[in-house]
Amino acid sequence: HDWLAQFLWHAHLPMGAGTALMIAAAVLIVACPCAMGLATPAAIMAGANAAARRGILIRDGVALEKAGQVTAVIFDKTGTLTIGKPEVAEIWQSSAGVSPVNNVENQTAAGGTPALLLAASLARNSTHPISQAIAKITAEKIEFPDWKEIRGSGVEANIEHPTSNIQHPIGKARLGSLRWLKESGVDLAAGEKFIAEWSNQGATIVGLASENKLLGLFAVRDAMKTNARQVVEQLQRQGLKTYLVTGDNSLTAASIARQVGIAAENIFAEVRPEQKAEFVKKLQAQGERVAFVGDGINDAPALTQADLGIAVSRASDLAREAADIILLKSEIEAVPEALGLARATLRTIKQNLFWAFFYNALGVPLAAMGFISPIFCAAAMGVSDLIVIGNALRLLRWRK
């Protein structure tokens, strides 16, 4: 007690206005919530600065708070888990008894078959990465005045007059997903073996049809990002559930999921762009706090619906606008880093609030009873501010 007493102001009974004024001043000074006011903004600024140094742009403090509460992460496939530069790996043609084309380069060098010319011409005006891959098959083209793109399905056009290049029956030509072709009445039985073989290898299968006749199939393969599996494993070690959403068929989706380590029951396959947001809602209804990772225009609704939207590098402008976190220079390896940093920031905020409250809770009673002087109260408040700011600055040295 004697040791502590030397740091305290000797208590005085209220014997006059002077003593009362000193005690009142001490209480007012020590009750100042300056440290409590600094606790949250200091941590948020430090956390956002630490993220920016890593090429992670966090839109605001609310986004940082939401990132720290995430329990599940949904990955889009194309351009997120894959590099986003698909190429045609193999072609199958069903008309006139043509056998599968195993060497795409040799086929296109020879000018291509009518089916390949039709497919490339249909794909040429689409900006979708898969369409652009098919458009490269041949440089020749056919003009379609009524060409139309159906979001999440494919492209179609009417061929009303035969040309010297096209020998197939004339009608409505379609190039797109197998689901869409099947819904349009196209029989896919002839290409089932090709579909199964390449779907199991993780390729996206695109079909070409004229009316209800299947003309050809294209196995389009996009290389996986080398660190995709590592990212998924890091998230799972953080206790987060991981999901895959893709417009590909279930076989292709299962192959991709196996490569990156996502459980089979966490796959959403054959999903239209507008349905991605519905799957986010489905998880949210189960009590999950969902982060959606995507890069395309079609991902914008899901990025908005998710508790936390994350747009990877090279994302479309619409996806960036809808996202809460934008990975400026990094690829998806920054996702676990961003979520880990957000959790560290929330912990720092709680620590700062504890210390700020601790100083006030301890100092106010002592000042009210006259045990500490106004000068000591001012010094204590300054120290509390330093502790809060110093604790927040530790985030700049955070490592995952």
Side-chain angles (χ1 to χ4, degrees), residues 159-196:
I159 307 176
E160 299 177 352
H161 302 287
T163 69
S164 59
N165 292 326
I166 300 299
Q167 304 299 324
H168 298 297
I170 304 306
K172 178 161 287 192
R174 293 184 177 92
L175 176 72
S177 69
L178 301 183
R179 169 190 50 76
W180 178 51
L181 296 182
K182 190 180 296 184
E183 292 173 353
S184 301
V186 179
D187 184 7
L188 304 176
E192 284 183 353
K193 182 179 178 181
F194 180 88
I195 294 170

Side-chain angles (χ1 to χ4, degrees), residues 295-325:
D295 73 326
I297 293 176
N298 293 336
D299 296 330
L303 289 168
T304 302
Q305 175 61 40
D307 296 287
L308 181 75
I310 303 176
V312 301
S313 62
R314 297 190 300 275
S316 67
D317 291 340
L318 189 57
R320 286 172 177 257
E321 184 65 27
D324 298 295
I325 293 179

Side-chain angles (χ1 to χ4, degrees), residues 1-12 366 370-373 376:
H1 294 88
D2 293 337
W3 177 85
L4 181 61
Q6 63 182 322
F7 298 101
L8 300 178
W9 191 36
H10 295 295
H12 294 278
L366 290 175
F371 284 109
I372 51 179
S373 69
F376 187 90

Side-chain angles (χ1 to χ4, degrees), residues 202-279:
T204 299
I205 310 300
V206 178
L208 173 68
S210 176
E211 293 297 333
N212 61 351
K213 180 180 180 181
L214 182 66
L215 301 182
L217 294 168
F218 301 84
V220 183
R221 192 155 52 183
D222 192 1
M224 297 296 299
K225 291 180 178 176
T226 56
N227 56 352
R229 186 178 185 89
Q230 179 184 359
V231 168
V232 171
E233 291 176 348
Q234 287 178 0
L235 292 172
Q236 291 170 347
R237 284 197 296 269
Q238 291 181 15
L240 301 175
K241 300 174 184 177
T242 53
Y243 297 82
L244 171 66
V245 60
T246 176
D248 284 330
N249 62 64
S250 56
L251 289 175
T252 300
S255 175
I256 296 295
R258 283 196 302 271
Q259 293 180 54
V260 299
I262 295 177
E265 61 271 19
N266 292 348
I267 300 172
F268 301 142
E270 299 185 17
V271 178
R272 291 186 176 93
E274 63 272 14
Q275 291 178 321
K276 292 179 181 180
E278 295 300 322
F279 282 100

Side-chain angles (χ1 to χ4, degrees), residues 51-57 311-314 320 326-334:
R53 292 183 178 185
R54 294 167 167 80
I56 303 168
L57 176 61
V312 301
S313 62
R314 297 190 300 275
R320 286 172 177 257
I326 302 171
L327 309 183
L328 298 177
K329 299 179 181 178
S330 307
E331 279 296 344
I332 57 171
E333 67 265 18

Side-chain angles (χ1 to χ4, degrees), residues 359 378-388:
Y359 267 91
M381 285 299 95
V383 171
S384 69
D385 291 345
L386 290 176
I387 289 177
V388 166

